[in-house]
Amino acid sequence: MEPAGFLSAHPFHENVMAADLYKPSPPVVASPKAEQPKASEPVRIISDPVSGRTYSKGRLLGKGGFARCYEVTDLSSNKTYAVKVIPHSRVAKPHQREKIINEIELHRELHHKHIVKFSHHFEDSENIYIFLEHCSRKSLAHIWKSRHTLLEPEVRYYLRQIISALKYLHLKGILHRDLKLGNFFVNENMELKVGDFGLAARQEPADQRKKTICGTPNYLAPEVLLRQGHGPESDVWSLGCVMYTLLCGNPPFETSDLKETYRCIKHVTYTLPAFLSVPAKNLLMGILKRNPQERFTLEEILDHDFFTKGYTPDKLPPSSCVMVPELNPPNPAKSLFVKVTKTLFGKRKSKVKKAPSEERDDISKLVTGLVKTSICRQISHKTVEGNEATPVSGQSPSSSPADTVAEEGSQKSISRSIRGTMASSCEVFEDCVTAAGVIESAIGLLKNCLSVMPPAERNPASLACHEHFVWVSKWVDYSNKYGFGYQLSDRSIGVLFNDGTHMTLSANWKKVRYNLTNSKHFSFLASAVPEQLQGQMSVLQYFASYMEQHLMKGGDLPSIDETGQVPLLLLQWVKTNQALLMLFSNGTLQVNFYNDHTKVIFSKPDHSCLLTYINRDRNSYTYKLSSIAEFGCSAELQRRLKYILRLLQQRTDA
């Protein structure tokens, strides 16, 4: 976690995966300070005593060591600003006030597309007010809090803008000295703005530099800790730490102990995750050099393969603040990879003649090789972490079978091939369950419940004991390339691929079930997966490892052992801007709501429908649906049930 620095204009992160492991450290200052008195709350209406203009103070945007930042509206023009409010009591000493004056004088001279615009300032008897450009999408810290990791194209998009601002600052002889996620703000148009110049200073010759240690611990350069002073190279170091954090999910030198963090920084001790691309690793190694003179310059960073050979989008969608965007790089070099990937994970029905068997064999081998060398390396930094992975935008793989199911002839070919080459080690099963049947049953149950239930202020008593059921405890959406992966509460893993096929790995990782369609599947040992399925098996295994290592269980329901039972088949998943719906072959229906991470699960373990509600605190409560129909439920749960009913009805109308 990154702590708030001097005058930091963003709140501490409050609810990130593994929040208990990453506690914010205090900001680093030049010397210990006595405890400051609490800041007085500014009045709701702010008046400029000189101009007479009045402003309405709105919500708190963030707070730091000396200031609070509020959303403030000019009552005459209705223009909105982000305003730093600094109580005089916090800057009573001459050197403290000098810092504020320095920040104002330095910032007001800056005029650049990617730097937060300084508007004006004034003070009254209580506070100093600094009016700044308001960035409605908050900061990269907020995006990181929601996403935890970003795709490489997204990181390039943001870094290019940061570097543009840094080149401008360094050309003017100004060092920022506190580059971190919370000081990169994002406006309505998804443009990045560098802000918070509370620690900024004018560049001095090396022999005249101040030796003050200031900034944020996780982003401090070795030379700063060694009291050699800040230079442009120190900002470059911090930029490298920002890049690492966005790609990997945590700062490179972060530990639970501040002294250990400083030791790691001084000795440049950090690890590069295996999932990073080679250009990303090389660029980070070129930036995070102990000797400032050996570090890449800003120009060298932009000329590196990470930027020159990687796709950078012209603009990111606002949805990327909370979920993985679907990016379509216009890169002809990837056409072969796309072609062979579609052969294995086909998205649309082919209208050309079937290739000769020899050609299909060559493509199969090529796909297998590409999967083993490329796919798994790409997945981990293109999915998101948290208690669940956030959904990407794009078509649900099962929402339109005509568009998502591969050519029937190709599936028959795979079926014949598996039967022919693996007859001695696999079992073939026939079964038939449909999503339409699950939806129709759920609609009937919900309609009946909502139509007869009486008004109620609270939910009925939760069942103290009931038969446990299987539910989705973790999930990862990577459907913009391969498919949707999930972990069940019995610890088995499944992936519904974009071509409509489905693969399940048992909890002990020893048995695999592969479904060509809803009515036909093969079962074999994990050690005897047919060659034709090695590509999908590689993706499945990577999803399994990723969810096990990085994602947190989505509720307090107990894990259960279903070893030996027939694996559940994910029939369909549907996402809206509010929730994710998952339908399973045993009639289980689960809906996860994004904003508050609440979940509603319908299950029929004993043929009498149970409803389980997991609230925002991850506590679970299970009721008989008949009890809710008889006694009613809270408004909170009723809203969710009505939403689920509308969603299911829309599926039947589609």
Side-chain angles (χ1 to χ4, degrees):
M1 297 289 290
E2 55 160 7
F6 177 70
L7 292 182
S8 177
H10 74 284
F12 290 139
H13 311 314
E14 297 171 348
N15 187 27
V16 184
M17 186 201 75
D20 291 337
L21 300 180
Y22 299 118
K23 297 294 185 184
S25 307
V28 177
V29 292
S31 58
K33 294 183 181 295
E35 184 177 350
Q36 299 286 349
K38 290 185 178 180
S40 58
E41 282 292 322
V43 293
R44 187 61 57 181
I45 298 298
I46 302 169
S47 298
D48 184 340
V50 176
S51 68
R53 296 180 75 91
T54 55
Y55 305 86
S56 173
K57 187 194 76 173
R59 62 193 177 101
L60 178 70
L61 298 176
K63 55 186 177 181
F66 287 78
R68 292 193 173 200
C69 188
Y70 292 90
E71 184 178 276
V72 172
T73 304
D74 186 328
L75 293 177
S76 60
S77 66
N78 210 34
K79 184 174 181 179
T80 302
Y81 298 90
V83 178
K84 281 187 177 181
V85 181
I86 308 156
H88 287 307
S89 60
R90 290 291 182 92
V91 290
K93 297 179 180 179
H95 75 277
Q96 292 172 332
R97 186 172 182 85
E98 185 180 338
K99 286 178 180 287
I100 304 302
I101 294 172
N102 175 72
E103 176 183 358
I104 292 171
E105 291 182 348
L106 187 150
H107 197 170
R108 74 197 310 174
E109 296 177 9
L110 304 178
H111 304 282
H112 188 272
K113 180 180 180 181
H114 295 299
I115 291 179
V116 171
K117 184 180 179 182
F118 180 95
S119 177
H120 61 285
H121 78 287
F122 63 81
E123 56 185 291
D124 57 22
S125 59
E126 297 291 329
N127 306 293
I128 300 170
Y129 305 92
I130 302 176
F131 285 68
L132 305 167
E133 174 183 3
H134 180 241
C135 295
S136 61
R137 301 197 187 279
K138 301 184 180 180
S139 71
L140 275 189
H142 293 85
I143 295 174
W144 176 82
K145 175 182 175 181
S146 296
R147 296 276 310 279
H148 205 55
T149 57
L150 272 61
L151 312 185
E152 286 195 6
E154 294 178 280
V155 174
R156 281 190 283 270
Y157 172 84
Y158 289 121
L159 287 185
R160 283 185 183 276
Q161 297 176 66
I162 296 171
I163 291 171
S164 176
L166 277 183
K167 288 172 68 176
Y168 171 81
L169 289 173
H170 292 176
L171 191 63
K172 291 180 71 69
I174 295 172
L175 306 175
H176 188 281
R177 303 204 305 174
D178 195 21
L179 296 176
K180 60 180 179 180
L181 300 185
N183 288 340
F184 303 131
F185 301 92
V186 181
N187 69 9
E188 189 70 18
N189 297 322
M190 294 300 293
E191 296 168 331
L192 182 142
K193 310 275 183 171
V194 177
D196 197 339
F197 291 87
L199 292 180
R202 299 194 181 275
Q203 187 176 344
E204 301 287 350
D207 59 346
Q208 298 179 25
R209 291 177 184 172
K210 295 178 181 178
K211 313 305 180 185
T212 304
I213 298 179
C214 64
T216 299
N218 283 322
Y219 301 86
L220 292 176
E223 63 272 17
V224 175
L225 288 177
L226 295 171
R227 295 190 178 276
Q228 296 169 0
H230 281 83
E233 303 84 5
S234 308
D235 279 348
V236 171
W237 172 279
S238 298
L239 182 71
C241 294
V242 166
M243 175 183 170
Y244 184 104
T245 304
L246 292 176
L247 288 174
C248 305
N250 54 274
F253 305 100
E254 183 174 62
T255 70
S256 58
D257 179 70
L258 192 58
K259 288 184 179 180
E260 178 63 15
T261 295
Y262 287 167
R263 188 195 68 79
C264 290
I265 292 173
K266 290 175 183 178
H267 293 87
V268 195
T269 303
Y270 68 101
T271 58
L272 289 170
F275 61 72
L276 287 179
S277 69
V278 173
K281 289 180 181 178
N282 290 339
L283 179 54
L284 285 168
M285 288 189 291
I287 295 176
L288 299 177
K289 294 276 191 183
R290 189 174 188 276
N291 185 344
Q293 305 309 314
E294 295 178 3
R295 273 174 223 151
F296 285 165
T297 64
L298 295 175
E299 288 291 348
E300 288 172 333
I301 292 173
L302 290 176
D303 289 338
H304 192 271
D305 285 353
F306 178 77
F307 284 98
T308 60
K309 296 184 179 180
Y311 166 63
T312 304
D314 293 329
K315 189 175 181 179
L316 290 176
S319 61
S320 67
C321 293
V322 294
M323 62 178 65
V324 182
E326 183 173 6
L327 303 175
N328 299 301
N331 190 346
K334 293 185 179 179
S335 60
L336 176 61
F337 180 78
V338 171
K339 179 179 178 181
V340 296
T341 302
K342 285 185 178 179
T343 301
L344 184 57
F345 308 109
K347 284 193 175 183
R348 53 177 175 267
K349 194 169 182 177
S350 173
K351 295 183 179 179
V352 299
K353 290 183 179 180
K354 255 191 269 185
S357 59
E358 295 83 9
E359 184 177 338
R360 286 201 304 273
D361 290 342
D362 290 341
I363 290 178
S364 177
K365 290 177 183 177
L366 178 56
V367 170
T368 301
L370 282 170
V371 168
K372 288 182 176 178
T373 59
S374 302
I375 293 178
C376 291
R377 187 179 66 237
Q378 294 176 19
I379 290 178
S380 62
H381 67 276
K382 294 186 177 181
T383 56
V384 239
E385 301 178 18
N387 61 315
E388 302 162 339
T390 308
V392 297
S393 57
Q395 184 183 3
S396 168
S398 300
S399 61
S400 179
D403 291 334
T404 57
V405 178
E407 181 183 3
E408 184 180 356
S410 297
Q411 292 195 341
K412 287 180 179 177
S413 175
I414 293 175
S415 178
R416 286 195 300 270
S417 180
I418 294 174
R419 286 176 184 270
T421 61
M422 299 302 299
S424 61
S425 59
C426 77
E427 303 171 62
V428 184
F429 299 87
E430 299 283 344
D431 45 30
C432 187
V433 183
T434 65
V438 177
I439 291 175
E440 183 179 354
S441 175
I443 288 177
L445 289 168
L446 273 173
K447 268 187 174 180
N448 179 67
C449 177
L450 290 170
S451 65
V452 301
M453 61 185 286
E457 294 183 358
R458 62 184 64 186
N459 297 325
S462 177
L463 296 177
C465 181
H466 59 84
E467 185 177 339
H468 295 314
F469 53 89
V470 180
W471 61 288
V472 176
S473 57
K474 304 177 184 181
W475 57 275
V476 174
D477 178 2
Y478 200 54
S479 59
N480 61 337
K481 270 191 179 287
Y482 308 114
F484 181 90
Y486 58 92
Q487 182 181 94
L488 295 172
S489 54
D490 64 359
R491 303 185 71 82
S492 63
I493 305 292
V495 176
L496 179 57
F497 291 100
N498 286 345
D499 66 349
T501 60
H502 185 280
M503 186 176 278
T504 302
L505 183 64
S506 63
N508 59 12
W509 287 36
K510 290 183 178 180
K511 197 163 186 177
V512 174
R513 167 172 157 154
Y514 178 71
N515 285 74
L516 278 169
T517 65
N518 287 355
S519 61
K520 182 182 295 183
H521 73 267
F522 299 86
S523 182
F524 33 76
L525 296 176
S527 59
V529 176
E531 182 180 356
Q532 296 89 335
L533 301 179
Q534 284 295 331
Q536 283 158 301
M537 186 63 187
S538 296
V539 175
L540 172 65
Q541 289 174 325
Y542 194 88
F543 274 147
S545 298
Y546 180 80
M547 288 186 285
E548 185 66 26
Q549 295 174 22
H550 296 288
L551 302 188
M552 188 166 61
K553 185 179 174 183
D556 70 349
L557 280 165
S559 298
I560 61 175
D561 184 5
E562 290 288 327
T563 305
Q565 301 297 317
V566 177
L568 282 190
L569 174 66
L570 176 62
L571 300 176
Q572 189 174 108
W573 61 278
V574 179
K575 39 182 197 184
T576 69
N577 60 351
Q578 296 182 47
L580 166 73
L581 167 72
M582 293 168 284
L583 306 170
F584 286 90
S585 55
N586 69 341
T588 295
L589 182 154
Q590 180 170 334
V591 180
N592 292 16
F593 293 88
Y594 307 143
N595 288 341
D596 55 10
H597 302 291
T598 58
K599 300 164 188 68
V600 176
I601 306 166
F602 295 93
S603 58
K604 294 193 242 182
D606 56 0
H607 304 289
S608 62
C609 185
L610 298 182
L611 184 154
T612 298
Y613 180 52
I614 302 178
N615 65 18
R616 65 194 68 203
D617 297 320
R618 301 178 186 275
N619 299 320
S620 63
Y621 304 90
T622 298
Y623 318 95
K624 285 187 177 181
L625 191 61
S626 58
S627 297
I628 291 180
E630 182 179 357
F631 301 109
C633 64
S634 65
E636 178 183 11
L637 180 55
Q638 186 176 0
R639 283 195 302 271
R640 285 162 175 76
L641 297 182
K642 288 181 177 179
Y643 178 84
I644 293 170
L645 178 59
R646 290 197 303 271
L647 179 57
L648 292 171
Q649 289 172 328
Q650 289 169 3
R651 299 306 303 161
T652 60
D653 297 337

CSV table of all heavy atoms in Angstrom, one decimal, residues 36 81 126 184 252 298 309 342 399 429 495 511 528 570 647:
chain,number,residue,atom,x,y,z
A,36,GLN,N,0.4,17.3,15.8
A,36,GLN,CA,-0.3,18.5,15.4
A,36,GLN,C,-1.7,18.5,15.9
A,36,GLN,O,-2.3,17.5,16.1
A,36,GLN,CB,-0.3,18.6,13.9
A,36,GLN,CG,1.1,18.7,13.3
A,36,GLN,CD,1.8,20.0,13.5
A,36,GLN,OE1,1.1,21.0,13.9
A,36,GLN,NE2,3.1,20.1,13.2
A,81,TYR,N,-14.2,22.7,-8.5
A,81,TYR,CA,-12.7,22.6,-8.2
A,81,TYR,C,-12.4,21.6,-7.2
A,81,TYR,O,-13.3,21.1,-6.4
A,81,TYR,CB,-12.2,24.0,-7.7
A,81,TYR,CG,-12.4,25.2,-8.6
A,81,TYR,CD1,-13.5,25.9,-8.5
A,81,TYR,CD2,-11.4,25.5,-9.5
A,81,TYR,CE1,-13.7,27.1,-9.3
A,81,TYR,CE2,-11.5,26.7,-10.3
A,81,TYR,CZ,-12.7,27.4,-10.2
A,81,TYR,OH,-12.9,28.5,-11.0
A,126,GLU,N,-9.1,31.4,9.1
A,126,GLU,CA,-9.0,30.0,9.5
A,126,GLU,C,-8.0,29.2,8.7
A,126,GLU,O,-7.3,28.4,9.2
A,126,GLU,CB,-10.3,29.4,9.6
A,126,GLU,CG,-11.3,30.0,10.6
A,126,GLU,CD,-10.9,29.7,12.0
A,126,GLU,OE1,-10.2,28.7,12.3
A,126,GLU,OE2,-11.1,30.6,12.9
A,184,PHE,N,-1.4,10.8,-9.3
A,184,PHE,CA,-1.8,10.8,-10.7
A,184,PHE,C,-3.3,10.8,-10.8
A,184,PHE,O,-3.9,9.8,-10.5
A,184,PHE,CB,-1.2,9.6,-11.4
A,184,PHE,CG,0.3,9.5,-11.3
A,184,PHE,CD1,0.9,8.3,-10.9
A,184,PHE,CD2,1.1,10.6,-11.5
A,184,PHE,CE1,2.3,8.2,-10.8
A,184,PHE,CE2,2.5,10.5,-11.4
A,184,PHE,CZ,3.1,9.3,-11.0
A,252,PRO,N,7.5,-2.8,-5.7
A,252,PRO,CA,8.6,-3.7,-5.8
A,252,PRO,C,9.3,-4.0,-4.5
A,252,PRO,O,9.8,-5.1,-4.3
A,252,PRO,CB,9.5,-3.2,-6.8
A,252,PRO,CG,9.2,-1.7,-6.8
A,252,PRO,CD,7.8,-1.6,-6.5
A,298,LEU,N,14.3,9.4,-19.5
A,298,LEU,CA,12.9,9.4,-19.9
A,298,LEU,C,12.8,9.1,-21.4
A,298,LEU,O,11.9,8.4,-21.9
A,298,LEU,CB,12.2,10.7,-19.6
A,298,LEU,CG,12.0,11.1,-18.1
A,298,LEU,CD1,11.5,12.5,-17.9
A,298,LEU,CD2,11.1,10.0,-17.4
A,309,LYS,N,7.4,-1.6,-29.4
A,309,LYS,CA,6.8,-2.8,-30.0
A,309,LYS,C,5.5,-3.3,-29.3
A,309,LYS,O,5.0,-4.3,-29.6
A,309,LYS,CB,7.9,-3.9,-29.9
A,309,LYS,CG,9.1,-3.6,-30.7
A,309,LYS,CD,10.1,-4.7,-30.7
A,309,LYS,CE,11.3,-4.4,-31.6
A,309,LYS,NZ,12.3,-5.5,-31.6
A,342,LYS,N,-8.1,-18.8,-32.7
A,342,LYS,CA,-9.5,-19.0,-33.1
A,342,LYS,C,-9.8,-20.5,-33.5
A,342,LYS,O,-10.9,-21.0,-33.4
A,342,LYS,CB,-9.9,-18.0,-34.2
A,342,LYS,CG,-10.1,-16.6,-33.6
A,342,LYS,CD,-10.6,-15.7,-34.7
A,342,LYS,CE,-10.9,-14.3,-34.1
A,342,LYS,NZ,-11.3,-13.4,-35.2
A,399,SER,N,-24.0,-16.3,-24.6
A,399,SER,CA,-25.1,-15.6,-24.9
A,399,SER,C,-25.7,-15.7,-26.3
A,399,SER,O,-26.9,-15.5,-26.5
A,399,SER,CB,-24.9,-14.1,-24.6
A,399,SER,OG,-23.8,-13.6,-25.5
A,429,PHE,N,-19.3,-40.0,-21.7
A,429,PHE,CA,-20.6,-39.9,-21.0
A,429,PHE,C,-21.6,-39.1,-21.9
A,429,PHE,O,-21.2,-38.2,-22.6
A,429,PHE,CB,-20.5,-39.2,-19.7
A,429,PHE,CG,-19.5,-39.9,-18.7
A,429,PHE,CD1,-18.2,-39.7,-18.8
A,429,PHE,CD2,-20.0,-40.8,-17.8
A,429,PHE,CE1,-17.3,-40.3,-17.9
A,429,PHE,CE2,-19.2,-41.5,-17.0
A,429,PHE,CZ,-17.8,-41.2,-17.0
A,495,VAL,N,-13.4,-24.1,-16.6
A,495,VAL,CA,-13.2,-23.0,-17.5
A,495,VAL,C,-14.3,-23.3,-18.6
A,495,VAL,O,-14.3,-24.4,-19.2
A,495,VAL,CB,-11.8,-23.0,-18.2
A,495,VAL,CG1,-11.8,-21.9,-19.3
A,495,VAL,CG2,-10.8,-22.7,-17.1
A,511,LYS,N,-8.1,-35.5,-12.0
A,511,LYS,CA,-9.1,-36.0,-13.0
A,511,LYS,C,-9.6,-34.8,-13.8
A,511,LYS,O,-9.9,-33.7,-13.2
A,511,LYS,CB,-10.2,-36.7,-12.4
A,511,LYS,CG,-11.0,-37.6,-13.4
A,511,LYS,CD,-11.9,-38.6,-12.7
A,511,LYS,CE,-12.5,-39.6,-13.7
A,511,LYS,NZ,-13.3,-40.6,-13.0
A,528,ALA,N,-3.2,-37.9,-18.5
A,528,ALA,CA,-3.4,-38.6,-19.8
A,528,ALA,C,-4.3,-37.7,-20.7
A,528,ALA,O,-5.1,-38.2,-21.4
A,528,ALA,CB,-4.0,-39.9,-19.6
A,570,LEU,N,-20.8,-25.5,-15.8
A,570,LEU,CA,-21.3,-24.1,-16.0
A,570,LEU,C,-22.0,-24.0,-17.3
A,570,LEU,O,-21.3,-24.2,-18.4
A,570,LEU,CB,-20.1,-23.1,-15.9
A,570,LEU,CG,-20.4,-21.6,-16.2
A,570,LEU,CD1,-21.4,-21.1,-15.1
A,570,LEU,CD2,-19.2,-20.8,-16.2
A,647,LEU,N,-33.5,-9.9,-14.8
A,647,LEU,CA,-32.4,-10.3,-15.6
A,647,LEU,C,-32.7,-11.7,-16.2
A,647,LEU,O,-32.4,-11.9,-17.4
A,647,LEU,CB,-31.2,-10.5,-14.7
A,647,LEU,CG,-29.9,-11.0,-15.3
A,647,LEU,CD1,-29.5,-10.1,-16.5
A,647,LEU,CD2,-28.8,-11.0,-14.3
